[in-house]
Amino acid sequence: MFNTREYAEGKSKQTLINSLSIFFFILLFISLIQPAYAADEKDVLFINSYHKGQDWGDEISKGIEDFFAEDPSVTLYTEYMDTKNYPSDENYQNLYNLYTYKYKDRDFNVIITSDDNALKFILEQQDTLFPETPVVFCGVNEVSYDFQKIHQDITGVLEYVHIKDTIQEAIEINPKPLKRIYILTDITETGHSNRLLVDSITPEFGNEIEFVHIYDIGMDELLFEASNMPDDSAILYVVFNRDTNGNVFTNREAVSLLSEKSSVPVYSMIDNIVGYGPVGGIVMSPYQHGYLAAEYADEIMKGKNPSEIKIQQDPYSYPLFDYETLSRFGYDFSKLPEDSIILNEPDTIIEISLIQYIAILLIGLCLFIVTVLLIISNRRIKITGELLRTSEERLSMAMQATKDGIWDWNFEKNEYYASPFGLEMLGYTPGEIVFTPELWETMIHPDDKERILASFNQSKKSPGKFIREYRIKTKSGAWKWIRTRGNVTGVKDGSATRIVGTFTDIGETIMYRDALLEANKKLSILSSVTRHDTLNQVTALLGYLEIMGDLYAEDEDVSAFIQKLTRSAEIIQQQINFAKDYEEMGLSKPEWQDVSTVAKRAATTAMDDKIEIIIDIGNVEIFADLMLEKVFFNLFDNSKRHGKNVTKIRVSFKKERDMTGIITVEDNGRGVEPDKKEEIFKKGYGGNSGYGLFLVENILGITNITIKETGTYGKGARFEIIVPETMWHIPADIKDI
């Protein structure tokens, strides 16, 4: 016998006691420092009586999975017993051995079972297989009245098959008065249980209806019998997952085959098979059944004792019918329950009063809100995460394909982000730097810095978009041309709270553009020298022709030839001057230009005391060639030359629904004849140089801007300059390029 006094007298014995004390202290310490989240991790085992693909069991599984989908602390394990295919005792023993092996080292917080076979298995094996583990069952028709008193660690949801209600509805709505209803079940335990349930109900209908059980039958024989049913009968499909030949069917497969061959209506009581052939009935939802069982399991994991959760029947039911089957058998739709849901119903046009229409809209809105709230609060489906992942994958692939980087500056939360592709563009690996505004400023090329920072600070003052091109230093120290597109999404107290955007490597574009501009400049120099020398010769020719005209003024024949030569020389002179204007197009890159300012400069140049030019265009800017002023000058000059008694020219702007911008230049002259509206833009048309409107169209076309004449002949000319959405803005929208 252990004597503490004798141990205290020996030094070695004292050492043993001290060692044991230290050992137990270490164990206690380790248990206290375990991660806090370990206690929150929960394991749930779901045992499905059937196989994957059996539609009833799959819907229950989905309800359970959806409930736990948004709780990362729950790990759901699912086992399929496959008792439809293997109902033998040997299968149960094999399952027992399998679960013993798989889960010998795992303690589950709760076990959920679906249908009778899984519950029966747990009741027989729980003490040795999962001792003291709470159980929630579902998919079971009935248990004994004292079940929960005997099994205090088990609760659950009883399925309520609406046999009585569906029989009553069938009697009331069937197109032909019913004298006989065939009750279809199978040879499984579920089928037997349902037959007992039916037998307890049918006496309530007296002798008016004859009820006939069909269950010990093969599928082929069943289909033959169903095709020859008397007109005054109907079939009530309860369950038929296994025939006498050992063939296994899902509910959808069985009811589809049956409904296709049956000469009479087939009624059903499960929502997920309506639409596969049966008329419908008062249905229950296996999905909601599983979802409710998962709610019970969640309450247990939160500390509630299973005995405190009373076993109850699933309360979820509603009348559901298939329009196509109803129409096929000639049902009177007015006899259906008022709250019926009808699948596959075609759209109909109903004449209703305004008050009824408004009432329907309000009711529909309320129903919509209630439905949304129910979906959010009860279904908790796992769609958002999947969509987000899909969206991120698509965005990532798109960014990789376009070689664009993403940046996001959230000033309120002090969060700064640059995408991996963006960092790689600058030579950095993901996570190597934090792309803050302060770091960005140090990376801008000195020659671009003042311009970029000034426009950026202006952009931050109001919501809107901006585009910039500038050079930025990479990790290696090299300079890279990039185009940045940004969107100021929020402003508070005059400063941006968040800016999101992209940046693109435009090094090759800049290189090609610079090479093209340089080539244009060289060609311009050559053209300028050639044009200058040619104009000198033409001027000299005109001078000699003028002298000859004076010398031969009295000779009519010679004077006529001299006048023709003079006109030809003047045309050559005009064409050379036009070539100078045409050459200047595209010589410099397009820029954002204030339309009002440009139009006013052109009006000053084209000033005429007899014509009032009104410019009412606001602060709109367009992205156009630097010869934009020439466009307005030529349009004003065209009104002056061809308008005949023009006294007023108006320039205005409007925005179309598709965000296209329309700049209108209109006068009060005679206008343009209908058959000349397109001709006037062709080279050489008109009585002057013939190049005015041709030049206008080409200058605008450099940045994909078009022009057309839309006026009414006799009331004045009206030119509409059509600016694409990306080629115009008000400075609050895009501040710089």
Side-chain angles (χ1 to χ4, degrees):
M1 186 172 183
F2 182 53
N3 190 314
T4 57
R5 184 183 300 275
E6 291 177 1
Y7 271 84
E9 292 174 352
K11 182 176 180 180
S12 60
K13 298 180 180 62
Q14 184 64 46
T15 301
L16 176 61
I17 293 173
N18 292 339
S19 300
L20 288 172
S21 299
I22 293 172
F23 174 74
F24 285 119
F25 175 77
I26 292 172
L27 287 179
L28 178 62
F29 178 74
I30 291 173
S31 67
L32 290 174
I33 65 171
Q34 290 298 309
Y37 62 80
D40 295 330
E41 295 294 329
K42 289 165 277 197
D43 293 334
V44 177
L45 175 62
F46 169 50
I47 302 179
N48 190 320
S49 291
Y50 307 130
H51 55 277
K52 192 171 182 62
Q54 201 271 352
D55 43 28
W56 166 268
D58 284 352
E59 285 294 304
I60 288 179
S61 296
K62 191 172 188 304
I64 294 170
E65 290 167 0
D66 284 356
F67 181 87
F68 291 121
E70 294 184 3
D71 188 348
S73 69
V74 174
T75 302
L76 181 65
Y77 298 80
T78 301
E79 294 288 347
Y80 293 93
M81 295 180 65
D82 201 8
T83 58
K84 291 289 185 186
N85 291 303
Y86 304 99
S88 64
D89 292 338
E90 182 183 1
N91 180 40
Y92 284 93
Q93 183 60 48
N94 290 336
L95 290 172
Y96 175 83
N97 295 336
L98 174 64
Y99 298 164
T100 301
Y101 173 76
K102 286 180 67 173
Y103 302 122
K104 60 184 177 181
D105 297 323
R106 184 170 299 281
D107 293 326
F108 290 103
N109 295 82
V110 66
I111 296 172
I112 302 175
T113 67
S114 70
D115 293 279
D116 299 83
N117 294 337
L119 178 60
K120 176 183 175 183
F121 177 77
I122 283 295
L123 290 175
E124 293 175 354
Q125 309 295 349
Q126 182 183 15
D127 290 342
T128 57
L129 195 55
F130 304 112
E132 300 182 2
T133 303
V135 176
V136 177
F137 66 78
C138 62
V140 175
N141 287 330
E142 61 180 350
V143 294
S144 62
Y145 73 93
D146 58 349
F147 179 89
Q148 203 162 18
K149 185 176 181 181
I150 299 171
H151 306 283
Q152 296 188 6
D153 57 350
I154 300 179
T155 187
V157 187
L158 293 172
E159 71 177 53
Y160 181 64
V161 185
H162 299 270
I163 296 174
K164 179 181 176 182
D165 297 332
T166 300
I167 291 174
Q168 187 64 50
E169 283 301 328
I171 293 171
E172 292 179 6
I173 69 173
N174 204 72
K176 296 185 178 180
L178 289 176
K179 294 182 179 179
R180 185 182 296 103
I181 296 178
Y182 294 92
I183 309 298
L184 179 61
T185 55
D186 60 15
I187 57 176
T188 64
E189 284 191 36
T190 303
H192 176 70
S193 176
N194 279 306
R195 283 194 296 278
L196 294 176
L197 181 60
V198 170
D199 289 341
S200 69
I201 293 172
T202 52
E204 298 182 31
F205 293 93
N207 298 321
E208 296 180 9
I209 304 291
E210 179 186 359
F211 293 95
V212 180
H213 282 293
I214 302 178
Y215 61 95
D216 192 5
I217 192 171
M219 177 59 83
D220 291 339
E221 185 182 355
L222 170 64
L223 298 181
F224 176 79
E225 294 293 337
S227 65
N228 294 285
M229 295 285 183
D231 291 344
D232 57 0
S233 62
I235 298 173
L236 179 63
Y237 179 89
V238 182
V239 63
F240 195 78
N241 296 142
R242 187 181 183 89
D243 70 2
T244 54
N245 299 319
N247 298 311
V248 175
F249 308 91
T250 66
N251 286 319
R252 285 177 180 171
E253 290 170 344
V255 83
S256 295
L257 292 170
L258 178 63
S259 300
E260 183 180 358
K261 295 293 184 181
S262 178
S263 60
V264 297
V266 178
Y267 292 88
S268 60
M269 297 158 291
I270 307 173
D271 66 353
N272 68 321
I273 64 174
V274 179
Y276 288 81
V279 174
I282 310 302
V283 301
M284 64 172 292
S285 169
Y287 176 90
Q288 290 291 341
H289 199 62
Y291 199 90
L292 185 57
E295 284 185 340
Y296 282 10
D298 187 57
E299 289 183 31
I300 291 171
M301 289 189 290
K302 289 178 178 176
K304 203 165 187 179
N305 194 297
S307 61
E308 298 175 359
I309 304 174
K310 298 302 179 184
I311 295 173
Q312 66 167 336
Q313 288 183 328
D314 184 355
Y316 189 80
S317 67
Y318 60 102
L320 179 67
F321 300 94
D322 183 0
Y323 178 88
E324 294 178 357
T325 308
L326 291 170
S327 301
R328 172 188 162 197
F329 285 102
Y331 278 79
D332 182 352
F333 284 78
S334 66
K335 292 183 178 181
L336 298 178
E338 291 184 0
D339 56 344
S340 295
I341 296 175
I342 301 178
L343 298 180
N344 303 317
E345 186 174 13
D347 295 333
T348 56
I349 300 176
I350 302 173
E351 294 185 5
I352 58 175
S353 67
L354 179 60
I355 295 176
Q356 289 174 319
Y357 180 73
I358 294 173
I360 290 171
L361 284 179
L362 292 174
I363 293 170
L365 179 61
C366 293
L367 288 174
F368 174 75
I369 293 172
V370 170
T371 302
V372 170
L373 292 175
L374 284 173
I375 290 173
I376 292 172
S377 62
N378 295 329
R379 302 290 297 268
R380 293 193 260 176
I381 56 177
K382 196 175 139 184
I383 292 176
T384 303
E386 292 298 329
L387 290 177
L388 181 59
R389 279 194 293 273
T390 301
S391 178
E392 287 177 345
E393 288 173 2
R394 288 174 179 166
L395 180 60
S396 177
M397 288 188 288
M399 288 294 140
Q400 188 173 11
T402 58
K403 297 182 180 179
D404 284 357
I406 300 175
W407 55 277
D408 183 351
W409 291 345
N410 192 321
F411 297 97
E412 279 193 324
K413 296 183 178 180
N414 200 30
E415 295 175 353
Y416 306 101
Y417 167 80
S419 68
F421 294 125
L423 293 175
E424 288 172 9
M425 186 191 304
L426 302 178
Y428 296 97
T429 58
E432 186 174 352
I433 61 171
V434 179
F435 195 62
T436 63
E438 293 76 19
L439 176 62
W440 168 70
E441 288 185 17
T442 66
M443 298 168 72
I444 302 173
H445 192 284
D447 293 345
D448 302 330
K449 196 166 191 174
E450 183 178 353
R451 169 178 62 88
I452 293 300
L453 292 182
S455 60
F456 179 73
N457 290 331
Q458 180 64 30
S459 302
K460 292 197 301 182
K461 295 179 180 179
S462 58
K465 303 173 183 177
F466 59 81
I467 304 174
R468 300 188 183 87
E469 293 179 0
Y470 57 94
R471 287 160 289 182
I472 193 168
K473 183 184 287 187
T474 64
K475 182 179 179 180
S476 65
W479 296 103
K480 184 183 289 288
W481 274 99
I482 64 171
R483 177 182 290 119
T484 296
R485 298 176 183 271
N487 185 17
V488 180
T489 60
V491 175
K492 185 177 181 180
D493 298 329
S495 183
T497 57
R498 188 174 186 181
I499 309 177
V500 181
T502 63
F503 52 95
T504 308
D505 184 347
I506 59 169
E508 288 189 7
T509 303
I510 295 295
M511 180 178 66
Y512 294 144
R513 186 176 70 189
D514 290 347
L516 183 61
L517 289 174
E518 185 62 27
N520 281 344
K521 288 179 182 178
K522 291 179 180 179
L523 289 172
S524 176
I525 293 172
L526 177 61
S527 177
S528 177
V529 171
T530 304
R531 184 175 60 253
H532 180 267
D533 292 344
T534 304
L535 280 174
N536 286 342
Q537 296 301 318
V538 172
T539 302
L541 176 61
L542 288 171
Y544 287 128
L545 288 172
E546 184 178 357
I547 294 172
M548 290 179 67
D550 293 339
L551 291 175
Y552 296 98
E554 296 180 1
D555 190 326
E556 293 182 0
D557 292 336
V558 174
S559 293
F561 280 115
I562 291 173
Q563 288 175 5
K564 291 180 180 180
L565 288 170
T566 301
R567 178 56 185 159
S568 296
E570 288 174 346
I571 291 173
I572 292 171
Q573 190 178 48
Q574 291 172 356
Q575 290 175 338
I576 292 172
N577 287 329
F578 167 76
K580 176 179 181 299
D581 290 339
Y582 201 79
E583 171 195 309
E584 291 176 358
M585 286 195 309
L587 195 58
S588 300
K589 70 172 185 176
E591 292 182 1
W592 288 106
Q593 301 174 63
D594 183 275
V595 179
S596 180
T597 301
V598 174
K600 287 176 181 177
R601 285 204 305 266
T604 302
T605 307
M607 184 68 71
D608 189 311
D609 294 339
K610 298 179 181 179
I611 300 176
E612 179 187 10
I613 300 178
I614 302 170
I615 298 172
D616 182 19
I617 206 164
N619 60 337
V620 174
E621 294 183 356
I622 67 173
F623 191 64
D625 188 84
L626 294 182
M627 292 185 69
L628 181 62
E629 183 178 336
K630 187 74 173 178
V631 168
F632 286 101
F633 175 82
N634 283 1
L635 291 174
F636 297 156
D637 188 63
N638 184 76
S639 292
K640 202 164 53 170
R641 290 178 182 275
H642 307 294
K644 301 296 183 183
N645 303 319
V646 171
T647 60
K648 183 180 293 185
I649 300 173
R650 177 181 292 276
V651 183
S652 59
F653 175 83
K654 68 176 181 179
K655 177 177 69 175
E656 297 292 275
R657 288 186 176 181
D658 63 356
M659 296 304 292
T660 299
I662 306 293
I663 299 172
T664 303
V665 180
E666 53 189 334
D667 62 38
N668 61 349
R670 68 173 181 176
V672 180
E673 298 173 30
D675 60 339
K676 301 292 177 55
K677 290 182 181 292
E678 294 183 5
E679 295 289 325
I680 58 177
F681 293 104
K682 293 183 178 180
K683 182 174 66 175
Y685 181 85
N688 192 29
S689 68
Y691 293 103
L693 295 180
F694 173 73
L695 185 64
V696 165
E697 187 178 48
N698 279 268
I699 291 172
L700 295 173
I702 290 175
T703 53
N704 295 321
I705 300 172
T706 58
I707 184 171
K708 61 181 179 180
E709 207 286 327
T710 61
T712 302
Y713 184 63
K715 294 185 179 181
R718 176 187 174 90
F719 291 93
E720 289 188 356
I721 299 173
I722 304 163
V723 189
E725 177 186 358
T726 57
M727 294 291 114
W728 74 271
H729 65 257
I730 295 172
D733 294 331
I734 300 180
K735 291 84 178 178
D736 183 45
I737 189 167

